[in-house]
Structures are given as C-alpha cells and as structure tokens.
Amino acid sequence: GQNMLHEKTARAMENHQSFLIINTLNKDMSKRLEDCILFNRLAAAAMKLENAAGVYMGGAKLLIAPELYVNQVELLKLSAKEATPYFPTELWIRVGYALNQGKKQAFTDGMNDFGYYDLRVYHTNKDPKTLYQWLHWMSMQELLGEAFYQNGDTVNFGGDKTGTLKQQDDILNIVGI
C-alpha cells in the first residue's frame, strides 16, 4: 500500500550490492522546494540508468520504482511551463492507511521535514482513494504556499464535507469528515 514499489522491483532491490546516496544538507526552509526539485532531477537521471532498482526517500519512508519516479519528475518539468504550479508530493510525502475498529485512518509522513504539521484523519468512512487524494492535495497546497493549515481551521472538501483541524503535538488531526 504505502510504497510505490512493485514486487518485481522489490526483489531487484534486495539483490543490489551497491547504492548511490544523494542527500540535501540545506536546512533553510525557504530554499527547501528548490533543493527538492534539484534532488528530484538528479535522482531521476540516476533512475534512468540500466541497473537502477528504485529510490528510498528516508523522510517519508517511501520506496519508489524507477519508472514511477521518472514519471513524476517529467510531470514536474511539464508544469514549469504552466501557470498552475506542481510539486511531486508523491516523491516526498507518504500517505498511509490503517484500520481501527473497522474505521479507516489516514496520515501523511514527511510534512515535518518541510516545517509543516503532518496531517491525520481518524475514524472516517471515506474510501482510501479519496483520503489519499485529499491528503496529497492538502500537502501540495501547503508546500506550494497556497494554504497554511493551523489548529482550529476548517477545510472544505467539497459539498457538505468540511473538516476541522485539531493540533496534537506535530500533527494536525482532521475531524468531522
């Protein structure tokens, strides 16, 4: 579920004996997106190599297959020419799911690396695809500076679907959806 890594790719990674490590060291949050975009382009070039098996994104705990990684970076390149900005949240932010007493829960992992609160939805009946889309949409909006979520805010998800944000440590829980 949470990793974009096919079984075939996972087996290929298990057999690898050498790894390329790329790391960003800049802690300046105002330059974080620029650093990430540069990182994405460099890693995508490595993923185009013949023996590339996948990318592990430590902050979000994601394993990503080479072709999926390259596809996201291609979308990033295409969006550079468009008025609507795009940031490949799928390469930086993990959306996870869990069941608790038959109720779905969803969460992001990796927003803290950008100086924002991770998001969490508890006890909802929404389907995983919808939750995934909502959490990635909210993450991208915040990372691009188009939204800033904080305790007590309400978020309209369309129609009568409105959630209230409740802060708990470094997490914003979305209540009511």
Side-chain angles (χ1 to χ4, degrees), residues 5-6 19 26 32 51-53 68 74 87 90 103 106 108 114 116 118 120 122 124-125 131 141 151 153 163 172 174:
L5 192 66
H6 301 295
F19 300 90
N26 191 351
R32 181 78 172 141
N51 292 327
L68 294 173
E74 292 300 322
F87 182 76
E90 284 92 349
K103 295 282 189 172
T108 63
F114 292 88
Y116 298 104
D118 271 308
R120 194 165 283 158
Y122 283 109
T124 181
N125 290 318
L131 292 170
Q141 294 293 305
N151 188 39
D153 287 350
L172 283 176
I174 305 168

PDB file of all heavy atoms in Angstrom, residues 5-6 19 26 32 51-53 68 74 87 90 103 106 108 114 116 118 120 122 124-125 131 141 151 153 163 172 174:
ATOM      1  N   LEU A   5       6.275   0.605  -4.994  1.00  0.00           N
ATOM      2  CA  LEU A   5       7.306  -0.323  -5.423  1.00  0.00           C
ATOM      3  C   LEU A   5       6.653  -1.657  -5.731  1.00  0.00           C
ATOM      4  O   LEU A   5       6.039  -2.266  -4.862  1.00  0.00           O
ATOM      5  CB  LEU A   5       8.346  -0.479  -4.310  1.00  0.00           C
ATOM      6  CG  LEU A   5       9.642  -1.169  -4.659  1.00  0.00           C
ATOM      7  CD1 LEU A   5      10.425  -0.328  -5.663  1.00  0.00           C
ATOM      8  CD2 LEU A   5      10.482  -1.386  -3.431  1.00  0.00           C
ATOM      9  N   HIS A   6       6.755  -2.086  -6.966  1.00  0.00           N
ATOM     10  CA  HIS A   6       6.165  -3.363  -7.358  1.00  0.00           C
ATOM     11  C   HIS A   6       7.003  -4.511  -6.815  1.00  0.00           C
ATOM     12  O   HIS A   6       8.187  -4.353  -6.528  1.00  0.00           O
ATOM     13  CB  HIS A   6       6.070  -3.450  -8.888  1.00  0.00           C
ATOM     14  CG  HIS A   6       5.242  -2.358  -9.482  1.00  0.00           C
ATOM     15  ND1 HIS A   6       3.904  -2.230  -9.247  1.00  0.00           N
ATOM     16  CD2 HIS A   6       5.590  -1.324 -10.269  1.00  0.00           C
ATOM     17  CE1 HIS A   6       3.439  -1.177  -9.898  1.00  0.00           C
ATOM     18  NE2 HIS A   6       4.451  -0.605 -10.516  1.00  0.00           N
ATOM     19  N   PHE A  19      24.877   1.131  -3.762  1.00  0.00           N
ATOM     20  CA  PHE A  19      23.830   2.131  -3.673  1.00  0.00           C
ATOM     21  C   PHE A  19      24.426   3.508  -3.885  1.00  0.00           C
ATOM     22  O   PHE A  19      25.577   3.770  -3.517  1.00  0.00           O
ATOM     23  CB  PHE A  19      23.149   2.071  -2.300  1.00  0.00           C
ATOM     24  CG  PHE A  19      22.522   0.743  -2.021  1.00  0.00           C
ATOM     25  CD1 PHE A  19      23.248  -0.266  -1.408  1.00  0.00           C
ATOM     26  CD2 PHE A  19      21.219   0.486  -2.396  1.00  0.00           C
ATOM     27  CE1 PHE A  19      22.687  -1.507  -1.166  1.00  0.00           C
ATOM     28  CE2 PHE A  19      20.638  -0.747  -2.164  1.00  0.00           C
ATOM     29  CZ  PHE A  19      21.376  -1.747  -1.545  1.00  0.00           C
ATOM     30  N   ASN A  26      20.941  21.490   3.045  1.00  0.00           N
ATOM     31  CA  ASN A  26      20.473  22.835   3.325  1.00  0.00           C
ATOM     32  C   ASN A  26      19.277  22.790   4.277  1.00  0.00           C
ATOM     33  O   ASN A  26      18.269  22.164   3.990  1.00  0.00           O
ATOM     34  CB  ASN A  26      20.079  23.525   2.013  1.00  0.00           C
ATOM     35  CG  ASN A  26      19.830  24.994   2.190  1.00  0.00           C
ATOM     36  OD1 ASN A  26      19.782  25.500   3.307  1.00  0.00           O
ATOM     37  ND2 ASN A  26      19.670  25.684   1.068  1.00  0.00           N
ATOM     38  N   ARG A  32      13.877  25.055   0.550  1.00  0.00           N
ATOM     39  CA  ARG A  32      13.610  23.612   0.599  1.00  0.00           C
ATOM     40  C   ARG A  32      13.018  23.085  -0.706  1.00  0.00           C
ATOM     41  O   ARG A  32      13.467  22.061  -1.206  1.00  0.00           O
ATOM     42  CB  ARG A  32      12.690  23.307   1.787  1.00  0.00           C
ATOM     43  CG  ARG A  32      12.362  21.853   1.959  1.00  0.00           C
ATOM     44  CD  ARG A  32      13.500  21.098   2.592  1.00  0.00           C
ATOM     45  NE  ARG A  32      13.043  19.761   2.903  1.00  0.00           N
ATOM     46  CZ  ARG A  32      13.773  18.681   2.757  1.00  0.00           C
ATOM     47  NH1 ARG A  32      15.017  18.789   2.362  1.00  0.00           N
ATOM     48  NH2 ARG A  32      13.301  17.509   3.031  1.00  0.00           N
ATOM     49  N   ASN A  51      20.785  -0.263 -14.524  1.00  0.00           N
ATOM     50  CA  ASN A  51      20.660  -1.127 -13.349  1.00  0.00           C
ATOM     51  C   ASN A  51      19.945  -0.479 -12.168  1.00  0.00           C
ATOM     52  O   ASN A  51      19.965  -1.021 -11.068  1.00  0.00           O
ATOM     53  CB  ASN A  51      22.052  -1.586 -12.890  1.00  0.00           C
ATOM     54  CG  ASN A  51      22.680  -2.528 -13.893  1.00  0.00           C
ATOM     55  OD1 ASN A  51      21.966  -3.288 -14.546  1.00  0.00           O
ATOM     56  ND2 ASN A  51      23.985  -2.467 -14.033  1.00  0.00           N
ATOM     57  N   ALA A  52      19.307   0.659 -12.384  1.00  0.00           N
ATOM     58  CA  ALA A  52      18.609   1.342 -11.288  1.00  0.00           C
ATOM     59  C   ALA A  52      17.457   0.476 -10.794  1.00  0.00           C
ATOM     60  O   ALA A  52      16.668  -0.039 -11.578  1.00  0.00           O
ATOM     61  CB  ALA A  52      18.100   2.694 -11.746  1.00  0.00           C
ATOM     62  N   ALA A  53      17.363   0.321  -9.479  1.00  0.00           N
ATOM     63  CA  ALA A  53      16.332  -0.545  -8.895  1.00  0.00           C
ATOM     64  C   ALA A  53      15.219   0.240  -8.216  1.00  0.00           C
ATOM     65  O   ALA A  53      14.100  -0.249  -8.101  1.00  0.00           O
ATOM     66  CB  ALA A  53      16.958  -1.502  -7.882  1.00  0.00           C
ATOM     67  N   LEU A  68       8.183   5.039 -11.992  1.00  0.00           N
ATOM     68  CA  LEU A  68       7.239   5.932 -11.321  1.00  0.00           C
ATOM     69  C   LEU A  68       7.927   7.224 -10.885  1.00  0.00           C
ATOM     70  O   LEU A  68       7.353   8.307 -10.972  1.00  0.00           O
ATOM     71  CB  LEU A  68       6.596   5.241 -10.120  1.00  0.00           C
ATOM     72  CG  LEU A  68       5.683   4.060 -10.458  1.00  0.00           C
ATOM     73  CD1 LEU A  68       5.242   3.337  -9.202  1.00  0.00           C
ATOM     74  CD2 LEU A  68       4.484   4.520 -11.266  1.00  0.00           C
ATOM     75  N   GLU A  74       8.991  14.022 -14.714  1.00  0.00           N
ATOM     76  CA  GLU A  74       8.550  14.525 -16.024  1.00  0.00           C
ATOM     77  C   GLU A  74       7.353  15.452 -15.864  1.00  0.00           C
ATOM     78  O   GLU A  74       7.267  16.489 -16.522  1.00  0.00           O
ATOM     79  CB  GLU A  74       8.222  13.372 -16.984  1.00  0.00           C
ATOM     80  CG  GLU A  74       9.436  12.557 -17.413  1.00  0.00           C
ATOM     81  CD  GLU A  74      10.492  13.369 -18.146  1.00  0.00           C
ATOM     82  OE1 GLU A  74      10.140  14.257 -18.946  1.00  0.00           O
ATOM     83  OE2 GLU A  74      11.700  13.123 -17.892  1.00  0.00           O
ATOM     84  N   PHE A  87       4.104  20.275  -7.507  1.00  0.00           N
ATOM     85  CA  PHE A  87       5.227  19.737  -6.754  1.00  0.00           C
ATOM     86  C   PHE A  87       4.943  18.255  -6.566  1.00  0.00           C
ATOM     87  O   PHE A  87       3.835  17.894  -6.169  1.00  0.00           O
ATOM     88  CB  PHE A  87       5.389  20.429  -5.396  1.00  0.00           C
ATOM     89  CG  PHE A  87       6.565  19.924  -4.620  1.00  0.00           C
ATOM     90  CD1 PHE A  87       7.843  20.306  -4.964  1.00  0.00           C
ATOM     91  CD2 PHE A  87       6.392  19.045  -3.570  1.00  0.00           C
ATOM     92  CE1 PHE A  87       8.941  19.825  -4.255  1.00  0.00           C
ATOM     93  CE2 PHE A  87       7.474  18.558  -2.857  1.00  0.00           C
ATOM     94  CZ  PHE A  87       8.755  18.955  -3.205  1.00  0.00           C
ATOM     95  N   GLU A  90       4.097  12.997  -4.126  1.00  0.00           N
ATOM     96  CA  GLU A  90       4.225  11.539  -4.012  1.00  0.00           C
ATOM     97  C   GLU A  90       5.671  11.094  -3.824  1.00  0.00           C
ATOM     98  O   GLU A  90       5.918   9.995  -3.357  1.00  0.00           O
ATOM     99  CB  GLU A  90       3.626  10.827  -5.238  1.00  0.00           C
ATOM    100  CG  GLU A  90       2.117  10.781  -5.229  1.00  0.00           C
ATOM    101  CD  GLU A  90       1.485  11.952  -5.964  1.00  0.00           C
ATOM    102  OE1 GLU A  90       2.222  12.908  -6.288  1.00  0.00           O
ATOM    103  OE2 GLU A  90       0.278  11.921  -6.187  1.00  0.00           O
ATOM    104  N   LYS A 103     -12.919   1.313  11.395  1.00  0.00           N
ATOM    105  CA  LYS A 103     -12.910   2.677  10.855  1.00  0.00           C
ATOM    106  C   LYS A 103     -11.555   2.971  10.227  1.00  0.00           C
ATOM    107  O   LYS A 103     -10.513   2.614  10.765  1.00  0.00           O
ATOM    108  CB  LYS A 103     -13.178   3.709  11.960  1.00  0.00           C
ATOM    109  CG  LYS A 103     -14.556   3.618  12.569  1.00  0.00           C
ATOM    110  CD  LYS A 103     -15.568   4.243  11.645  1.00  0.00           C
ATOM    111  CE  LYS A 103     -16.912   4.346  12.359  1.00  0.00           C
ATOM    112  NZ  LYS A 103     -17.863   5.103  11.594  1.00  0.00           N
ATOM    113  N   ALA A 106      -6.121   7.696   8.014  1.00  0.00           N
ATOM    114  CA  ALA A 106      -5.107   8.021   7.013  1.00  0.00           C
ATOM    115  C   ALA A 106      -4.195   9.096   7.590  1.00  0.00           C
ATOM    116  O   ALA A 106      -4.612   9.883   8.442  1.00  0.00           O
ATOM    117  CB  ALA A 106      -5.773   8.512   5.731  1.00  0.00           C
ATOM    118  N   THR A 108      -0.291  11.545   6.809  1.00  0.00           N
ATOM    119  CA  THR A 108       0.876  11.877   5.998  1.00  0.00           C
ATOM    120  C   THR A 108       2.123  11.667   6.851  1.00  0.00           C
ATOM    121  O   THR A 108       2.073  11.739   8.075  1.00  0.00           O
ATOM    122  CB  THR A 108       0.861  13.349   5.511  1.00  0.00           C
ATOM    123  OG1 THR A 108       0.925  14.218   6.629  1.00  0.00           O
ATOM    124  CG2 THR A 108      -0.365  13.637   4.668  1.00  0.00           C
ATOM    125  N   PHE A 114       9.453  19.610   6.017  1.00  0.00           N
ATOM    126  CA  PHE A 114       9.306  20.902   5.344  1.00  0.00           C
ATOM    127  C   PHE A 114       8.888  22.004   6.318  1.00  0.00           C
ATOM    128  O   PHE A 114       8.603  23.120   5.909  1.00  0.00           O
ATOM    129  CB  PHE A 114       8.255  20.788   4.227  1.00  0.00           C
ATOM    130  CG  PHE A 114       8.704  19.925   3.088  1.00  0.00           C
ATOM    131  CD1 PHE A 114       8.479  18.567   3.100  1.00  0.00           C
ATOM    132  CD2 PHE A 114       9.368  20.475   2.000  1.00  0.00           C
ATOM    133  CE1 PHE A 114       8.894  17.761   2.053  1.00  0.00           C
ATOM    134  CE2 PHE A 114       9.784  19.678   0.951  1.00  0.00           C
ATOM    135  CZ  PHE A 114       9.556  18.319   0.975  1.00  0.00           C
ATOM    136  N   TYR A 116       6.153  21.806   8.332  1.00  0.00           N
ATOM    137  CA  TYR A 116       4.696  21.825   8.482  1.00  0.00           C
ATOM    138  C   TYR A 116       4.245  20.646   9.336  1.00  0.00           C
ATOM    139  O   TYR A 116       4.989  19.694   9.554  1.00  0.00           O
ATOM    140  CB  TYR A 116       4.004  21.744   7.114  1.00  0.00           C
ATOM    141  CG  TYR A 116       4.324  22.909   6.220  1.00  0.00           C
ATOM    142  CD1 TYR A 116       5.216  22.772   5.157  1.00  0.00           C
ATOM    143  CD2 TYR A 116       3.733  24.149   6.433  1.00  0.00           C
ATOM    144  CE1 TYR A 116       5.514  23.847   4.334  1.00  0.00           C
ATOM    145  CE2 TYR A 116       4.038  25.230   5.610  1.00  0.00           C
ATOM    146  CZ  TYR A 116       4.919  25.069   4.570  1.00  0.00           C
ATOM    147  OH  TYR A 116       5.217  26.135   3.764  1.00  0.00           O
ATOM    148  N   ASP A 118       2.287  17.237  10.009  1.00  0.00           N
ATOM    149  CA  ASP A 118       1.724  16.104   9.283  1.00  0.00           C
ATOM    150  C   ASP A 118       0.223  16.102   9.528  1.00  0.00           C
ATOM    151  O   ASP A 118      -0.269  16.638  10.521  1.00  0.00           O
ATOM    152  CB  ASP A 118       2.362  14.782   9.740  1.00  0.00           C
ATOM    153  CG  ASP A 118       3.603  14.461   8.929  1.00  0.00           C
ATOM    154  OD1 ASP A 118       3.507  14.466   7.683  1.00  0.00           O
ATOM    155  OD2 ASP A 118       4.661  14.208   9.529  1.00  0.00           O
ATOM    156  N   ARG A 120      -3.579  14.031   9.710  1.00  0.00           N
ATOM    157  CA  ARG A 120      -4.128  12.727  10.085  1.00  0.00           C
ATOM    158  C   ARG A 120      -5.650  12.807  10.104  1.00  0.00           C
ATOM    159  O   ARG A 120      -6.222  13.785  10.571  1.00  0.00           O
ATOM    160  CB  ARG A 120      -3.600  12.338  11.463  1.00  0.00           C
ATOM    161  CG  ARG A 120      -3.837  10.883  11.789  1.00  0.00           C
ATOM    162  CD  ARG A 120      -3.003  10.444  12.973  1.00  0.00           C
ATOM    163  NE  ARG A 120      -1.629  10.244  12.520  1.00  0.00           N
ATOM    164  CZ  ARG A 120      -0.577  10.275  13.311  1.00  0.00           C
ATOM    165  NH1 ARG A 120      -0.702  10.526  14.586  1.00  0.00           N
ATOM    166  NH2 ARG A 120       0.621  10.056  12.840  1.00  0.00           N
ATOM    167  N   TYR A 122      -8.873  10.520  11.451  1.00  0.00           N
ATOM    168  CA  TYR A 122      -9.260   9.379  12.277  1.00  0.00           C
ATOM    169  C   TYR A 122     -10.721   9.035  12.057  1.00  0.00           C
ATOM    170  O   TYR A 122     -11.543   9.915  11.821  1.00  0.00           O
ATOM    171  CB  TYR A 122      -9.089   9.703  13.774  1.00  0.00           C
ATOM    172  CG  TYR A 122      -7.673   9.658  14.260  1.00  0.00           C
ATOM    173  CD1 TYR A 122      -7.003  10.814  14.602  1.00  0.00           C
ATOM    174  CD2 TYR A 122      -7.007   8.453  14.384  1.00  0.00           C
ATOM    175  CE1 TYR A 122      -5.708  10.780  15.066  1.00  0.00           C
ATOM    176  CE2 TYR A 122      -5.709   8.401  14.842  1.00  0.00           C
ATOM    177  CZ  TYR A 122      -5.068   9.564  15.180  1.00  0.00           C
ATOM    178  OH  TYR A 122      -3.780   9.519  15.629  1.00  0.00           O
ATOM    179  N   THR A 124     -12.972   7.536   9.933  1.00  0.00           N
ATOM    180  CA  THR A 124     -13.735   8.030   8.798  1.00  0.00           C
ATOM    181  C   THR A 124     -14.242   6.839   7.993  1.00  0.00           C
ATOM    182  O   THR A 124     -13.674   5.752   8.050  1.00  0.00           O
ATOM    183  CB  THR A 124     -12.878   8.954   7.915  1.00  0.00           C
ATOM    184  OG1 THR A 124     -13.673   9.432   6.840  1.00  0.00           O
ATOM    185  CG2 THR A 124     -11.651   8.246   7.358  1.00  0.00           C
ATOM    186  N   ASN A 125     -15.287   7.056   7.255  1.00  0.00           N
ATOM    187  CA  ASN A 125     -15.807   6.023   6.358  1.00  0.00           C
ATOM    188  C   ASN A 125     -15.419   6.294   4.913  1.00  0.00           C
ATOM    189  O   ASN A 125     -15.871   5.592   4.016  1.00  0.00           O
ATOM    190  CB  ASN A 125     -17.339   5.929   6.479  1.00  0.00           C
ATOM    191  CG  ASN A 125     -17.738   5.344   7.820  1.00  0.00           C
ATOM    192  OD1 ASN A 125     -17.121   4.388   8.296  1.00  0.00           O
ATOM    193  ND2 ASN A 125     -18.740   5.925   8.439  1.00  0.00           N
ATOM    194  N   LEU A 131      -9.240   9.608   0.470  1.00  0.00           N
ATOM    195  CA  LEU A 131      -8.357  10.096   1.528  1.00  0.00           C
ATOM    196  C   LEU A 131      -6.970  10.409   0.979  1.00  0.00           C
ATOM    197  O   LEU A 131      -6.366  11.425   1.317  1.00  0.00           O
ATOM    198  CB  LEU A 131      -8.268   9.070   2.657  1.00  0.00           C
ATOM    199  CG  LEU A 131      -9.551   8.875   3.464  1.00  0.00           C
ATOM    200  CD1 LEU A 131      -9.416   7.671   4.389  1.00  0.00           C
ATOM    201  CD2 LEU A 131      -9.902  10.127   4.247  1.00  0.00           C
ATOM    202  N   GLN A 141      -0.842  21.885  -1.576  1.00  0.00           N
ATOM    203  CA  GLN A 141      -1.267  23.267  -1.368  1.00  0.00           C
ATOM    204  C   GLN A 141      -0.367  23.970  -0.345  1.00  0.00           C
ATOM    205  O   GLN A 141       0.048  25.105  -0.544  1.00  0.00           O
ATOM    206  CB  GLN A 141      -2.729  23.306  -0.885  1.00  0.00           C
ATOM    207  CG  GLN A 141      -3.733  22.826  -1.903  1.00  0.00           C
ATOM    208  CD  GLN A 141      -3.810  23.776  -3.078  1.00  0.00           C
ATOM    209  OE1 GLN A 141      -4.046  24.963  -2.906  1.00  0.00           O
ATOM    210  NE2 GLN A 141      -3.595  23.266  -4.263  1.00  0.00           N
ATOM    211  N   ASN A 151      -4.218  24.939  13.796  1.00  0.00           N
ATOM    212  CA  ASN A 151      -5.232  24.499  14.748  1.00  0.00           C
ATOM    213  C   ASN A 151      -6.487  25.374  14.667  1.00  0.00           C
ATOM    214  O   ASN A 151      -6.403  26.594  14.656  1.00  0.00           O
ATOM    215  CB  ASN A 151      -4.652  24.550  16.168  1.00  0.00           C
ATOM    216  CG  ASN A 151      -5.571  23.928  17.186  1.00  0.00           C
ATOM    217  OD1 ASN A 151      -6.202  22.903  16.924  1.00  0.00           O
ATOM    218  ND2 ASN A 151      -5.654  24.534  18.351  1.00  0.00           N
ATOM    219  N   ASP A 153      -8.596  25.660  12.126  1.00  0.00           N
ATOM    220  CA  ASP A 153      -9.053  25.932  10.757  1.00  0.00           C
ATOM    221  C   ASP A 153     -10.094  24.912  10.328  1.00  0.00           C
ATOM    222  O   ASP A 153     -10.092  23.769  10.793  1.00  0.00           O
ATOM    223  CB  ASP A 153      -7.884  25.868   9.760  1.00  0.00           C
ATOM    224  CG  ASP A 153      -6.948  27.050   9.844  1.00  0.00           C
ATOM    225  OD1 ASP A 153      -7.285  28.030  10.544  1.00  0.00           O
ATOM    226  OD2 ASP A 153      -5.875  26.992   9.214  1.00  0.00           O
ATOM    227  N   GLY A 163     -14.008  19.580   7.318  1.00  0.00           N
ATOM    228  CA  GLY A 163     -13.266  19.063   8.457  1.00  0.00           C
ATOM    229  C   GLY A 163     -12.667  20.199   9.266  1.00  0.00           C
ATOM    230  O   GLY A 163     -12.370  21.263   8.736  1.00  0.00           O
ATOM    231  N   LEU A 172      -1.674  17.633  12.687  1.00  0.00           N
ATOM    232  CA  LEU A 172      -2.995  18.247  12.624  1.00  0.00           C
ATOM    233  C   LEU A 172      -3.999  17.141  12.292  1.00  0.00           C
ATOM    234  O   LEU A 172      -3.931  16.530  11.231  1.00  0.00           O
ATOM    235  CB  LEU A 172      -3.051  19.321  11.547  1.00  0.00           C
ATOM    236  CG  LEU A 172      -2.412  20.661  11.873  1.00  0.00           C
ATOM    237  CD1 LEU A 172      -2.456  21.589  10.666  1.00  0.00           C
ATOM    238  CD2 LEU A 172      -3.072  21.326  13.075  1.00  0.00           C
ATOM    239  N   ILE A 174      -7.639  15.930  11.272  1.00  0.00           N
ATOM    240  CA  ILE A 174      -8.782  16.451  10.533  1.00  0.00           C
ATOM    241  C   ILE A 174     -10.010  15.731  11.087  1.00  0.00           C
ATOM    242  O   ILE A 174     -10.166  14.522  10.908  1.00  0.00           O
ATOM    243  CB  ILE A 174      -8.642  16.204   9.019  1.00  0.00           C
ATOM    244  CG1 ILE A 174      -7.315  16.796   8.523  1.00  0.00           C
ATOM    245  CG2 ILE A 174      -9.832  16.814   8.273  1.00  0.00           C
ATOM    246  CD1 ILE A 174      -6.938  16.379   7.122  1.00  0.00           C
TER     247      ILE A 174
END
